[in-house]
């Protein structure tokens, strides 16, 4: 498959004379710090996703704003209508299994909605989840979280919350947040 930069989508044929330009897989100090906050398998997943995207000319970066949420931050996001997870309920950000990517179109300097969808499709093929095309009901109305991705293969949130693993990962994530945050 080829990456058509003009149409911002994958094509079934490779019409290019040379492969799509690759963007270097390096991370800023802030991104490195954010990576350290993630659950280890999620960290590996994020590096693979960003590498995949950059190899296709998509300038994906890890957001350094939304990595580990404390229960207080999660409650604030709910109150502001930025989350559908009610206060007191564990979410994927609190355990380091959710992350946000920043994908800015170099020409328009705006969020590249088409690139988010391409990355979202690939994330799902790799066992992750993307919320950018799903409606989330919040106290202030429905939203779509374009930049939100998750990696928790084989777990749904309701089952996960009941598992001892959830509390262990919560403690580990909050410890990483104190150490690196």
């Amino acid at each position: 498959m080829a990456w058509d930069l003009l149409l911002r989508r994958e094509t079934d044929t490779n019409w290019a004379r040379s492969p799509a330009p690759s963007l270097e897989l390096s991370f800023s100090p802030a991104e490195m710090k954010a990576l350290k906050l993630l659950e280890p398998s999620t960290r590996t997943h994020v590096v693979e996703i960003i590498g995949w995207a950059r190899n296709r000319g998509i300038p994906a970066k890890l957001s350094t704003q939304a990595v580990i949420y404390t229960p207080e931050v999660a409650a604030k996001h709910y109150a502001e209508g930025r989350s559908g997870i009610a206060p007191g309920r564990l979410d994927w950000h609190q355990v380091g299994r959710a992350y946000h990517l920043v994908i800015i179109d170099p020409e328009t300097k705006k969020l590249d909605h088409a690139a988010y969808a391409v990355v979202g499709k690939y994330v799902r093929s790799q066992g992750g989840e993307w919320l950018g095309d799903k409606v989330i009901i919040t106290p202030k109305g429905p939203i779509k979280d374009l930049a939100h991705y998750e990696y928790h293969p084989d777990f749904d949130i309701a089952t996960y919350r009941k598992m001892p693993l959830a509390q262990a990962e919560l403690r580990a994530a909050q410890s990483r947040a104190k150490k690196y945050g």
Side-chain angles (χ1 to χ4, degrees):
M1 287 207 185
W3 178 254
D4 186 336
L5 292 175
L6 180 63
L7 299 176
R8 299 198 188 294
R9 62 180 170 87
E10 285 189 342
T11 62
D12 291 329
T13 59
N14 186 357
W15 50 266
R17 290 186 198 147
S18 60
S22 177
L23 300 175
E24 183 181 344
L25 185 57
S26 63
F27 298 95
S28 70
E31 285 177 298
M32 290 298 292
K33 183 177 172 181
L35 282 167
K36 290 177 183 177
L37 294 171
L38 294 170
E39 181 274 331
S41 69
T42 304
R43 179 183 316 132
T44 300
H45 165 81
V46 169
V47 170
E48 290 172 357
I49 296 303
I50 291 174
W52 177 90
R54 290 182 185 174
N55 280 333
R56 281 149 184 82
I58 300 172
K61 293 183 178 182
L62 178 61
S63 171
T64 58
Q65 302 290 317
V67 183
I68 297 289
Y69 291 172
T70 62
E72 295 78 23
V73 169
K76 178 182 171 203
H77 286 281
Y78 180 80
E80 293 171 347
R82 296 171 52 196
S83 171
I85 306 292
R89 303 204 57 171
L90 189 67
D91 73 17
W92 296 118
H93 274 292
Q94 292 175 24
V95 296
R97 288 182 173 268
Y99 59 96
H100 290 176
L101 294 180
V102 178
I103 306 173
I104 303 292
D105 183 307
E107 293 177 18
T108 66
K109 307 294 187 222
K110 294 182 180 180
L111 293 179
D112 190 335
H113 291 248
Y116 276 105
V118 169
V119 174
K121 181 178 178 182
Y122 183 71
V123 164
R124 287 177 178 154
S125 78
Q126 300 303 301
E129 186 55 72
W130 174 53
L131 298 187
D133 63 352
K134 294 183 177 185
V135 175
I136 301 163
I137 304 303
T138 77
K140 301 223 175 191
I143 63 168
K144 287 186 180 181
D145 194 348
L146 183 67
H148 181 98
Y149 299 87
E150 303 171 352
Y151 186 70
H152 44 84
D154 304 322
F155 296 126
D156 67 83
I157 192 71
T159 304
Y160 177 80
R161 286 177 179 143
K162 297 173 189 172
M163 298 171 66
L165 176 64
Q167 289 306 310
E169 287 189 347
L170 177 62
R171 285 189 302 275
Q174 299 303 313
S175 176
R176 287 191 306 275
K178 285 180 185 173
K179 183 175 181 179
Y180 301 114

